[in-house]
Amino acid sequence: MKSEPAFSHSAGRSPESARTGRTSRKRPLVVLAGQQNGGKSTLFNTLTGASQHIANYPGVTVDKKSGSYRHHQIRIDVVDLPGTYSLTSFSLEERVARDFIFTSHPDVVVNVVDAAGLKRSLLLTLQLLEAGFPMIMALNMIDVAHRRGLSIDVNRLEDRLGIRVIPTIGRKRQGKNALKKAIWQTTTGELEHQQFQMVYEKAEPLLARVEQELSRHPEITTGYPVRWMAVRLMEEDDQIEKRICELSKNGHLLLSELMSAKTAFETDQSLNISDYLASCREKTAARITRECVTKTRADRPTLTEKIDRVVLNRLLAPLFLLATVYLIYDLSIVRGYQLTQYTWPLLATLRNMVAGLLPDAGLLLDPYLRALSLWIIDSTLTLLNYIPIFFILFGLIAILEDSGYMARIAFIMDKLFYNYGLHGQSTLPFILGGVFAGGCAVPGVMAARAIPDERARMATILTVPFMNCMAKIPLYTLIVNIYFANYKSWAMLFISTITIIVALFAAKLLTTTVIRQMTTTPFVMALPAYHLPTVGAVLTRALERVWLYVKKVGTIVVVVAVIIFVLLQWPGINKQQMAGYQQQMQQATDTFCKMIETADPHLGRFTDSQLLDLLNDYDDYKRALFASGGGKGKRDVDRKFQSRNELFFSILKPEKDETARKISRALKKLHSKRKRLRREIKEARIVNSFLGMTGKILEPVSRFAGFDWKINVALLSSFAARESSVATLGVLFREGADANLTLEQRMDNEGRSTGFSSLNALALLLFFALYPPCLATAIMVKVQTQSYKWMLFSIIFPTVLGLIAAGLVYSIGSYLNATGIQMMGIFYGVALTTTILFGFIKTGNKLKKEKIE
């Protein structure tokens, strides 16, 4: 029988594991390290309270939570590392956690352990002990262990590990003071620790040789324990291999010699050294658990196991999953959107306040300072209006995470998504993005940050915008009602499902080509015990994530808004056109002034300045009434405008005076005329703008897909907001048409004369469905990936894919003389078949999934 791996510890710290190059700092630094779902974030909130903030680790998208607290009048900094199962370099989270520990050299590492899953948690504990840093164990969720009939001998556990063990219940703040005391004693040297060292039995001679060789190269081992590096190197840690090759002059030769020794050992012992080292840690963890944990009652199904028998049932699991994601979608997207009815008036009030500080609006043209400032404000407020949606969404996600069901969602869906290079946790982003219709890509992209697999996370971010967001629905409705009126049900089914089919195809395409080399992680699926989330923890996490969104979007939106503004405004309309608009406005103002002189000679003729002030007051008054909420607010608005200019107010709100009413009606007509002319000037600017000219320049290419320059301009303008596509089409198809006709009738009439058929319409639907993300989503892609390169790729890739799909449908349909509905069926069948077949192609690099109870 093979003997179990031994473990030993000796007093003090060995010279080889001493931390060199430690950064100087005035305040002690504590890091919290632990596996996912161990209550680490809850314990972090317990320690730091409100004194915390979230950022990103430099160069990566992983959250960096940091905070502080005071103890004995000293400020102690705390960093909550990403949840990780080991200190290897498989996943982004593991690399971030490990790099931070070894570069920051913390004064204390607090290993947060799930008391109910001690054996599993000890695997990370043993690796942290090997790193040689001063360490404390927070034996968290001890109440759950007791409920499961587990009694843990804390003193014996301390003796076996050589570190202080503090039982805690993070969500109830129990053990907080004891943990703070232990941290303080460790930082001041009052609490001595014994140096723990794993004994790897058969591998010890090999490790000793590797240690000896590494010790000869201090340029490699500076800041790292030699023993720890030797173990990692034998486990084929690519980061350690890279360090050796980069820092040593003969690094490649040294690495080759060490790998040769490793290969010789494996051949001689007939085993894989990496697997053997892992098994040694597993046996050590099992032995410590047996010695320190006692079952106080016979085994019986826990509440978690009882729930999982239903929730993870082969037949019932999909039903519970659908119910959960529907509830999240309904509460966040649907109900959250309804809340914007209350937040938008507040944002509109803010806009009015800013507008009041800017130069006054001109009669037909606004000063550029006003126009640009309001454009930026409107762009920013549009994104801020998502806050109710995000707050509910992040709160619900926090509930799923804290309850333990989020891990089960990933477990249920991973088998399907794995075939396309995605992850089980891609489910929620796709649902929020609008799998069928009515979602929003912005929260969908944001939700993708929770995916631990780097490659699957990127694939999800790049394919979520394919989903049918709410803003796409107006164009779908327009096209279907014009060209597929007799096939509405089939057309809507096509639109609802083709996007998810293409998204899976695109994800597979990306993960086998462009992002193939991105890091993938072993899919270890820990299914934690179910917990009742606390209100404080849920609200804290929701607020943290919303604030992170506001800060990050705010740094980008201004730049992008200015660029879009320039593209839509310049070079503008020519002087002759402008003179025509000014002449029309002059005629309208002359008519109004003559009417006033006739109705009330005492008023006299208004000057141009007075007339402009009156029209601007009219706009301000209407906006103020909208934001007032009625009742007392409306009366306050009336008093404000009456005190501003009593004469103007008598026209804005005439009482029983018939003359004043007549003047007010005339003012309303003048205002409508001005509004129409300003809109026409805006439309003319769009046509003559850089975007308009770009639409015409692109026409030779877009003809391949059956698009003329008007369609191009509508698509380009919809980049700022999807809804603007229909508004722009309404502008471009107004010229020369009967104003009494609807947009559908105008487009249908022009289509008959220009040959725009149902086949063109199908190509447009396809391209619009696959079209690049809108401005808000593109910004969020930049935020999530921290890369302008990927933001640009998220725009270019779907453009090319959409143009190819639309072009093939239009070209093949034209060659076959097929109708739009016929090609819709053909394309659907080909796309579905291709995607199914694509799923059988192995993506590669991803390791097997493992369920851990």
Side-chain angles (χ1 to χ4, degrees), residues 306-347:
K306 292 177 181 178
I307 296 175
D308 277 345
R309 287 175 183 175
V310 179
V311 173
L312 297 182
N313 179 273
R314 186 180 300 271
L315 298 177
L316 297 178
L319 298 179
F320 279 101
L321 177 60
L322 287 174
T324 301
V325 295
Y326 172 79
L327 185 63
I328 292 174
Y329 166 76
D330 184 70
L331 292 177
S332 61
I333 302 297
V334 178
R335 309 300 173 186
Y337 185 77
Q338 292 176 355
L339 288 179
T340 61
Q341 298 175 10
Y342 302 98
T343 59
W344 184 250
L346 298 177
L347 296 176

Side-chain angles (χ1 to χ4, degrees), residues 196-210:
F196 177 93
Q197 180 172 310
M198 278 285 305
V199 178
Y200 290 101
E201 292 195 336
K202 292 181 180 181
E204 283 300 326
L206 173 63
L207 291 175
R209 177 181 174 184
V210 175

Side-chain angles (χ1 to χ4, degrees), residues 369-399:
L369 177 59
R370 179 182 179 85
L372 176 59
S373 299
L374 290 181
W375 175 270
I376 294 174
I377 289 294
D378 289 340
S379 299
T380 304
L381 295 186
T382 298
L383 297 177
L384 293 181
N385 201 42
Y386 286 119
I387 286 179
I389 296 176
F390 291 150
F391 184 78
I392 296 174
L393 168 64
F394 293 145
L396 292 173
I397 291 177
I399 291 174

Side-chain angles (χ1 to χ4, degrees), residues 749-781:
N749 289 343
E750 180 160 331
R752 294 175 189 276
S753 62
T754 60
F756 192 91
S757 64
S758 62
L759 190 59
N760 298 77
L762 174 61
L764 177 58
L765 280 180
L766 270 177
F767 185 80
F768 196 71
L770 307 180
Y771 188 57
C774 65
L775 171 61
T777 306
I779 291 174
M780 189 48 57
V781 171

Side-chain angles (χ1 to χ4, degrees), residues 400-600:
L400 290 180
E401 291 172 340
D402 291 353
S403 67
Y405 188 64
M406 180 66 83
R408 286 156 175 87
I409 291 178
F411 185 80
I412 294 168
M413 290 301 298
D414 188 75
K415 187 174 182 179
L416 170 64
F417 281 155
Y418 166 75
N419 293 328
Y420 295 95
L422 297 170
H423 191 279
Q425 287 178 250
S426 301
T427 306
L428 187 60
F430 280 142
I431 292 295
L432 296 170
V435 166
F436 299 108
C440 179
V442 176
V445 171
M446 292 189 72
R449 72 180 298 114
I451 300 174
D453 188 296
E454 184 182 11
R455 187 170 66 187
R457 182 194 304 131
M458 182 61 71
T460 305
I461 289 172
L462 295 175
T463 53
V464 160
F466 288 151
M467 300 300 103
N468 290 318
C469 67
M470 292 181 288
K472 292 182 180 180
I473 304 304
L475 183 68
Y476 291 159
T477 304
L478 176 70
I479 298 300
V480 169
N481 283 327
I482 298 175
Y483 298 101
F484 302 101
N486 296 328
Y487 307 97
K488 287 184 180 180
S489 298
W490 162 240
M492 292 311 298
L493 175 64
F494 173 82
I495 292 170
S496 299
T497 55
I498 195 63
T499 49
I500 184 63
I501 292 173
V502 175
L504 292 176
F505 171 85
K508 188 71 171 184
L509 182 64
L510 291 169
T511 52
T512 53
T513 56
V514 180
I515 60 176
R516 178 183 177 84
Q517 299 305 319
M518 281 193 170
T519 304
T520 59
T521 64
F523 192 12
V524 180
M525 183 53 58
L527 299 184
Y530 288 103
H531 300 285
L532 187 65
T534 62
V535 176
V538 170
L539 291 178
T540 298
R541 202 171 310 173
L543 287 171
E544 287 173 348
R545 291 172 177 175
V546 167
W547 178 237
L548 183 64
Y549 163 78
V550 171
K551 288 195 299 183
K552 296 225 170 168
V553 168
T555 60
I556 303 172
V557 66
V558 174
V559 176
V560 178
V562 171
I563 294 173
I564 296 296
F565 178 82
V566 171
L567 293 177
L568 285 173
Q569 294 294 317
W570 274 277
I573 58 179
N574 58 50
K575 293 181 179 180
Q576 185 176 357
Q577 282 181 292
M578 193 62 213
Y581 292 126
Q582 290 173 339
Q583 184 178 2
Q584 292 183 57
M585 191 66 215
Q586 187 62 50
Q587 290 174 352
T589 55
D590 289 342
T591 301
F592 176 74
C593 289
K594 288 179 181 178
M595 190 281 299
I596 291 180
E597 292 175 351
T598 303
D600 191 350

